[in-house]
Amino acid sequence: MKIFLNGKRCKADTLARVVRLVEILAESGHEVVLDGSYFGKLPIDVATSLPIANVEYKPVAHADLAISIGGDGTFLRTSKKVAHLGVPIAGINSGRLGFLAAADLSDMEAFIAEINEGRYVVETHTMLEARREDGVGIDMPLALNEVAFLRHDTSSVISVDVEVDGTPLTTYKADGLIISTPTGSTAYNLSCGGPIIAPTAANLVLTPVSPHSLNMRPLVLPDSAVLRVIVNTRAEKFQLSLDGNTVFMPNNGAVIISKSACVARVVQRLGHSFAQSLHDKLLWGKDMR
């Protein structure tokens, strides 16, 4: 297989395991390609000694599998780098929570053995796409977790007008509005009081950030819904955040949010369940007293 590898800058002990991971993949007969930005973050002596086939400085042209080494942020960035290919993404956690990862670095050898033997499953996760109604392009317009409309350079609330499939829904007066996928329901959405949704469900959720009205509540919609959003704020611009990548948008310009034709194909180990992830990583059912 051709395996695309992406990661982040790491400490010496983690780096040693990353080197061993690349060696294991090469020893297994895989063609290993490193993301160019990741390659540039490695110490030069380590980078030049790795048994890799190539370094991809442009969008990946082909891969059979992508491996993301890091936390959830690295996984999100990797998903955008390979979204156009539709290749499966295997997350190996070297961070703290690693909610999207299938394995930890400490268990990487067993995980790679399972991949070599085809003993894994692939889940399809919805991605969102944002576009300006005026036709001006948006850098990195895809989101696996969420699209968030947030205030900028002001402490005042913003007004967020939302239409669903051409029908006016409401005006949110709040610090912002999150439009989350099921994958992102356990991220920013959850911290703002939104519901947890199973990651393979065909839904979106709209969750206001600190709404200034008690009757503004999270709303679950089918992921076929097309949303038209207009933000009005006292500042000249507002923040449009796609998985934490922020662009600044002018007031009163409409943004269209819809389900992307691209999906994230997420590798999970056999026997994995979302319920188990909730128990292990969100500590459901644990008595913390």
Side-chain angles (χ1 to χ4, degrees):
M1 285 196 298
K2 181 176 180 178
I3 296 180
F4 174 73
L5 197 63
N6 187 37
K8 65 175 184 178
R9 184 177 284 108
C10 55
K11 298 179 181 178
D13 57 339
T14 300
L15 182 60
R17 287 182 169 178
V18 171
V19 171
R20 181 56 188 149
L21 171 64
V22 177
E23 291 173 347
I24 292 171
L25 292 172
E27 291 166 2
S28 300
H30 300 300
E31 178 186 353
V32 182
V33 174
L34 252 65
D35 174 72
S37 61
Y38 182 40
F39 183 80
K41 295 171 184 174
L42 298 174
I44 188 64
D45 59 326
V46 173
T48 54
S49 66
L50 290 174
I52 58 175
N54 197 9
V55 177
E56 295 281 1
Y57 290 97
K58 297 179 180 180
V60 188
H62 168 70
D64 299 298
L65 177 71
I67 294 180
S68 173
I69 306 172
D72 289 337
T74 307
F75 192 99
L76 295 174
R77 288 189 291 274
T78 304
S79 72
K80 295 172 181 59
K81 290 177 181 290
V82 301
H84 62 292
L85 297 176
V87 302
I89 308 168
I92 297 181
N93 180 40
S94 66
R96 287 169 293 181
L97 180 60
F99 196 86
L100 297 173
D104 292 326
L105 268 176
S106 60
D107 195 29
M108 66 181 183
E109 294 198 36
F111 183 44
I112 297 304
E114 293 168 13
I115 289 176
N116 290 339
E117 297 166 7
R119 293 189 292 113
Y120 60 90
V121 295
V122 179
E123 295 178 346
T124 299
H125 291 213
T126 296
M127 298 185 78
L128 296 176
E129 183 170 349
R131 62 180 175 85
R132 288 175 57 160
E133 195 173 55
D134 61 10
V136 176
I138 295 176
D139 290 337
M140 301 179 69
L142 297 181
L144 175 57
N145 264 5
E146 76 276 316
V147 178
F149 295 82
L150 303 168
R151 63 188 185 184
H152 173 61
D153 283 347
T154 178
S155 59
S156 300
V157 301
I158 60 176
S159 295
V160 186
D161 295 325
V162 180
E163 294 179 7
V164 179
D165 295 331
T167 300
L169 175 66
T170 192
T171 297
Y172 294 92
K173 292 189 180 297
D175 288 353
L177 176 68
I178 302 165
I179 301 171
S180 172
T181 66
T183 305
S185 68
T186 51
Y188 194 9
N189 166 76
L190 181 61
S191 70
C192 290
I196 293 176
I197 302 177
T200 56
N203 295 109
L204 306 176
V205 57
L206 277 62
T207 301
V209 180
S210 300
H212 285 236
S213 174
L214 293 177
N215 60 4
M216 292 283 98
R217 292 289 183 264
L219 173 66
V220 178
L221 296 171
D223 65 8
S224 59
V226 176
L227 308 178
R228 183 174 183 266
V229 182
I230 297 177
V231 175
N232 188 282
T233 171
R234 291 183 181 180
E236 293 183 358
K237 298 180 180 180
F238 66 90
Q239 296 183 65
L240 178 67
S241 174
L242 297 100
D243 287 348
N245 298 309
T246 299
V247 295
F248 295 100
M249 305 287 291
N251 264 339
N252 297 313
V255 179
I256 309 300
I257 308 297
S258 60
K259 179 180 179 180
S260 174
C262 298
V263 297
R265 301 184 65 221
V266 180
V267 171
Q268 301 287 6
R269 304 177 88 161
L270 290 179
H272 164 270
S273 71
F274 183 55
Q276 192 62 47
S277 292
L278 295 178
H279 286 286
D280 294 344
K281 297 182 179 182
L282 293 188
L283 305 181
W284 274 38
K286 299 291 178 67
D287 189 345
M288 307 302 292
R289 292 175 294 177

